[in-house]
Amino acid sequence: MKLQFLPALVLAIGASAVHAQAQPAQAAPATPVETGRAYTLNPGDEIELYVWGEERLQRTLKILPDGSFSFPLIGRVVAQGKTLRDIEAIVTKGLESQYRGQVPQVTVSVRAPLGLQFSVAGRVKAPGTFTPGRYVNLLEAITLAGGPDEFANLDNVLIVRKAGAGVVTVRARLSGLFRGNVPGGGLTPANLPAIEGGDTVIVP
Protein backbone atom coordinates (compact mmCIF):
# COMPACT_ATOMS: atom_id res chain seq x y z
CA MET A 1 0.00 0.00 0.00
CA LYS A 2 1.46 3.36 -1.03
CA LEU A 3 0.35 5.90 1.50
CA GLN A 4 2.10 8.75 -0.31
CA PHE A 5 -1.15 9.24 -2.22
CA LEU A 6 -3.00 10.20 0.98
CA PRO A 7 -1.98 13.87 1.43
CA ALA A 8 -2.83 14.79 -2.14
CA LEU A 9 -6.07 12.88 -1.94
CA VAL A 10 -7.15 14.58 1.28
CA LEU A 11 -6.33 18.01 -0.16
CA ALA A 12 -8.19 17.26 -3.37
CA ILE A 13 -11.31 15.59 -2.02
CA GLY A 14 -11.30 14.95 1.73
CA ALA A 15 -12.28 18.45 2.84
CA SER A 16 -15.16 18.65 0.37
CA ALA A 17 -17.50 17.01 2.89
CA VAL A 18 -17.15 19.99 5.21
CA HIS A 19 -16.42 23.18 3.32
CA ALA A 20 -17.05 23.03 -0.44
CA GLN A 21 -17.72 20.91 -3.47
CA ALA A 22 -14.96 18.65 -4.73
CA GLN A 23 -12.82 20.03 -7.56
CA PRO A 24 -13.61 18.69 -11.05
CA ALA A 25 -11.59 15.77 -12.32
CA GLN A 26 -10.08 15.94 -15.79
CA ALA A 27 -12.75 13.77 -17.37
CA ALA A 28 -15.87 14.78 -15.44
CA PRO A 29 -16.87 16.77 -12.35
CA ALA A 30 -16.66 14.87 -9.08
CA THR A 31 -19.80 14.59 -6.99
CA PRO A 32 -19.51 16.48 -3.67
CA VAL A 33 -19.99 14.40 -0.53
CA GLU A 34 -21.87 17.17 1.24
CA THR A 35 -22.53 20.85 0.63
CA GLY A 36 -23.67 23.39 3.21
CA ARG A 37 -24.52 20.89 5.90
CA ALA A 38 -25.99 22.73 8.89
CA TYR A 39 -24.34 21.96 12.23
CA THR A 40 -26.53 19.93 14.59
CA LEU A 41 -25.96 20.22 18.32
CA ASN A 42 -24.51 17.48 20.49
CA PRO A 43 -24.18 16.95 24.25
CA GLY A 44 -21.07 18.82 25.41
CA ASP A 45 -21.37 21.67 22.91
CA GLU A 46 -21.20 25.20 24.29
CA ILE A 47 -23.56 27.74 22.74
CA GLU A 48 -24.18 31.46 23.15
CA LEU A 49 -27.80 32.56 23.19
CA TYR A 50 -28.58 36.24 22.76
CA VAL A 51 -31.96 38.00 22.84
CA TRP A 52 -31.49 41.44 21.32
CA GLY A 53 -32.01 44.30 23.80
CA GLU A 54 -32.37 41.91 26.74
CA GLU A 55 -29.14 41.64 28.70
CA ARG A 56 -30.87 39.45 31.28
CA LEU A 57 -31.46 36.88 28.54
CA GLN A 58 -27.89 36.57 27.32
CA ARG A 59 -26.38 33.23 28.23
CA THR A 60 -23.46 30.93 27.53
CA LEU A 61 -24.87 27.43 27.85
CA LYS A 62 -23.52 23.90 27.71
CA ILE A 63 -25.63 21.11 26.25
CA LEU A 64 -26.10 18.56 29.04
CA PRO A 65 -25.47 14.82 28.63
CA ASP A 66 -29.21 14.29 28.10
CA GLY A 67 -29.07 16.65 25.10
CA SER A 68 -30.88 19.57 26.73
CA PHE A 69 -30.27 22.97 28.34
CA SER A 70 -32.36 25.26 30.54
CA PHE A 71 -33.21 28.84 29.68
CA PRO A 72 -34.98 31.55 31.76
CA LEU A 73 -38.73 31.96 31.21
CA ILE A 74 -38.81 28.83 29.03
CA GLY A 75 -37.34 25.97 31.03
CA ARG A 76 -35.85 22.85 29.50
CA VAL A 77 -35.05 22.88 25.79
CA VAL A 78 -34.08 19.69 23.94
CA ALA A 79 -31.16 20.67 21.70
CA GLN A 80 -29.52 17.42 20.60
CA GLY A 81 -29.82 16.88 16.85
CA LYS A 82 -31.22 20.36 16.25
CA THR A 83 -29.65 23.16 14.22
CA LEU A 84 -28.97 26.66 15.52
CA ARG A 85 -31.94 27.95 13.52
CA ASP A 86 -34.13 25.32 15.21
CA ILE A 87 -33.07 26.56 18.65
CA GLU A 88 -33.70 30.18 17.67
CA ALA A 89 -37.24 29.25 16.61
CA ILE A 90 -37.89 27.25 19.81
CA VAL A 91 -36.67 30.07 22.08
CA THR A 92 -38.62 32.70 20.13
CA LYS A 93 -41.80 30.61 20.45
CA GLY A 94 -41.17 30.06 24.15
CA LEU A 95 -40.82 33.80 24.81
CA GLU A 96 -43.99 34.86 22.99
CA SER A 97 -46.04 34.95 26.18
CA GLN A 98 -43.57 37.41 27.74
CA TYR A 99 -44.09 40.13 25.11
CA ARG A 100 -47.16 42.03 23.94
CA GLY A 101 -45.67 42.56 20.54
CA GLN A 102 -43.05 40.78 18.51
CA VAL A 103 -40.33 38.88 20.35
CA PRO A 104 -36.89 40.51 19.91
CA GLN A 105 -34.53 38.72 17.57
CA VAL A 106 -32.97 35.58 19.05
CA THR A 107 -29.46 34.64 17.93
CA VAL A 108 -27.72 31.36 18.75
CA SER A 109 -24.10 30.54 17.91
CA VAL A 110 -21.72 27.71 18.73
CA ARG A 111 -18.98 28.87 21.08
CA ALA A 112 -17.21 25.50 21.29
CA PRO A 113 -18.34 22.42 19.31
CA LEU A 114 -16.95 20.06 21.94
CA GLY A 115 -19.73 17.53 21.49
CA LEU A 116 -18.75 16.51 17.95
CA GLN A 117 -16.46 13.74 19.15
CA PHE A 118 -15.67 10.34 17.68
CA SER A 119 -13.20 7.49 18.17
CA VAL A 120 -11.00 5.54 15.76
CA ALA A 121 -9.80 2.07 16.73
CA GLY A 122 -8.07 -0.88 15.11
CA ARG A 123 -5.27 -0.85 12.56
CA VAL A 124 -4.45 2.84 12.47
CA LYS A 125 -1.23 4.51 13.53
CA ALA A 126 -2.69 6.72 16.27
CA PRO A 127 -6.01 5.35 17.57
CA GLY A 128 -7.92 7.53 19.96
CA THR A 129 -10.79 9.96 20.48
CA PHE A 130 -10.97 13.15 18.42
CA THR A 131 -12.84 16.44 18.67
CA PRO A 132 -12.26 18.14 15.30
CA GLY A 133 -14.59 21.09 15.82
CA ARG A 134 -16.13 20.58 12.37
CA TYR A 135 -17.74 17.85 10.34
CA VAL A 136 -15.36 15.31 8.83
CA ASN A 137 -15.86 12.35 6.54
CA LEU A 138 -14.56 8.81 7.08
CA LEU A 139 -11.36 9.44 5.14
CA GLU A 140 -10.54 12.50 7.22
CA ALA A 141 -11.34 10.61 10.44
CA ILE A 142 -8.80 7.90 9.58
CA THR A 143 -6.28 10.58 8.59
CA LEU A 144 -6.69 12.25 12.00
CA ALA A 145 -5.81 8.87 13.53
CA GLY A 146 -2.50 8.86 11.64
CA GLY A 147 -3.75 6.86 8.66
CA PRO A 148 -4.02 3.07 8.35
CA ASP A 149 -1.12 0.79 9.18
CA GLU A 150 0.35 -1.52 6.56
CA PHE A 151 -1.87 -4.47 7.53
CA ALA A 152 -5.20 -2.58 7.58
CA ASN A 153 -8.14 -4.05 5.68
CA LEU A 154 -9.56 -0.91 4.07
CA ASP A 155 -12.31 -2.80 2.27
CA ASN A 156 -14.13 -3.58 5.51
CA VAL A 157 -14.03 -0.36 7.55
CA LEU A 158 -16.87 -0.21 10.06
CA ILE A 159 -18.64 2.77 11.65
CA VAL A 160 -20.52 1.93 14.85
CA ARG A 161 -23.16 4.62 15.43
CA LYS A 162 -25.55 5.24 18.29
CA ALA A 163 -29.22 5.19 17.31
CA GLY A 164 -31.53 5.86 20.23
CA ALA A 165 -31.09 3.04 22.73
CA GLY A 166 -29.28 0.85 20.20
CA VAL A 167 -26.56 1.03 17.59
CA VAL A 168 -26.35 0.72 13.82
CA THR A 169 -23.34 -0.14 11.69
CA VAL A 170 -22.15 1.39 8.42
CA ARG A 171 -19.54 -0.41 6.29
CA ALA A 172 -17.26 1.28 3.79
CA ARG A 173 -14.59 0.31 1.25
CA LEU A 174 -11.72 2.78 1.12
CA SER A 175 -8.85 0.86 -0.47
CA GLY A 176 -9.48 2.48 -3.86
CA LEU A 177 -9.39 5.99 -2.39
CA PHE A 178 -6.11 5.29 -0.62
CA ARG A 179 -4.68 4.24 -3.98
CA GLY A 180 -5.85 7.52 -5.52
CA ASN A 181 -8.86 6.08 -7.36
CA VAL A 182 -12.07 8.13 -7.16
CA PRO A 183 -15.26 6.09 -7.87
CA GLY A 184 -16.71 6.55 -11.34
CA GLY A 185 -19.87 8.14 -9.93
CA GLY A 186 -17.86 10.53 -7.78
CA LEU A 187 -17.82 10.79 -4.00
CA THR A 188 -21.15 10.32 -2.27
CA PRO A 189 -22.28 9.62 1.32
CA ALA A 190 -22.69 6.00 0.21
CA ASN A 191 -18.98 5.47 -0.54
CA LEU A 192 -17.53 8.11 1.80
CA PRO A 193 -19.82 8.49 4.86
CA ALA A 194 -19.83 11.56 7.06
CA ILE A 195 -18.86 11.05 10.71
CA GLU A 196 -21.39 11.94 13.40
CA GLY A 197 -20.86 12.72 17.06
CA GLY A 198 -20.44 9.56 19.11
CA ASP A 199 -19.33 7.39 16.19
CA THR A 200 -16.65 4.74 16.57
CA VAL A 201 -14.63 3.91 13.44
CA ILE A 202 -13.06 0.45 13.40
CA VAL A 203 -10.32 -0.34 10.89
CA PRO A 204 -9.78 -4.13 10.95
Side-chain angles (χ1 to χ4, degrees):
M1 182 180 301
K2 297 182 179 180
L3 297 184
Q4 63 265 31
F5 285 102
L6 179 57
L9 181 60
V10 172
L11 289 174
I13 60 176
S16 62
V18 183
H19 298 294
Q21 294 185 350
Q23 295 298 317
Q26 292 182 355
T31 302
V33 179
E34 289 191 87
T35 55
R37 182 182 181 186
Y39 185 77
T40 54
L41 295 169
N42 303 280
D45 285 343
E46 289 186 3
I47 63 174
E48 289 186 339
L49 202 157
Y50 182 89
V51 180
W52 287 88
E54 294 280 8
E55 292 186 4
R56 65 193 178 100
L57 296 179
Q58 298 177 21
R59 293 288 190 280
T60 296
L61 303 162
K62 187 170 185 176
I63 310 301
L64 299 175
D66 68 355
S68 71
F69 66 86
S70 294
F71 192 71
L73 305 178
I74 296 178
R76 181 174 178 269
V77 176
V78 177
Q80 184 172 1
K82 293 184 170 60
T83 67
L84 301 181
R85 303 292 83 79
D86 292 336
I87 300 302
E88 289 172 355
I90 291 171
V91 173
T92 300
K93 182 68 175 178
L95 291 175
E96 284 182 349
S97 63
Q98 306 298 319
Y99 294 88
R100 292 183 179 179
Q102 185 175 359
V103 177
Q105 182 178 348
V106 176
T107 301
V108 182
S109 61
V110 178
R111 182 174 183 178
L114 302 177
L116 184 55
Q117 188 176 85
F118 63 90
S119 299
V120 182
R123 293 190 176 278
V124 290
K125 296 177 181 177
T129 299
F130 304 90
T131 306
R134 61 181 178 87
Y135 280 121
V136 298
N137 58 42
L138 180 57
L139 177 61
E140 292 174 306
I142 294 175
T143 303
L144 287 171
D149 69 24
E150 60 181 323
F151 300 110
N153 178 5
L154 294 174
D155 282 329
N156 197 27
V157 178
L158 185 68
I159 301 173
V160 180
R161 177 167 296 162
K162 297 176 182 178
V167 296
V168 297
T169 58
V170 179
R171 293 188 181 274
R173 300 168 61 93
L174 298 180
S175 60
L177 288 178
F178 275 86
R179 290 194 297 267
N181 299 325
V182 178
L187 296 175
T188 69
N191 55 43
L192 188 57
I195 298 299
E196 297 182 3
D199 282 356
T200 298
V201 177
I202 300 174
V203 182

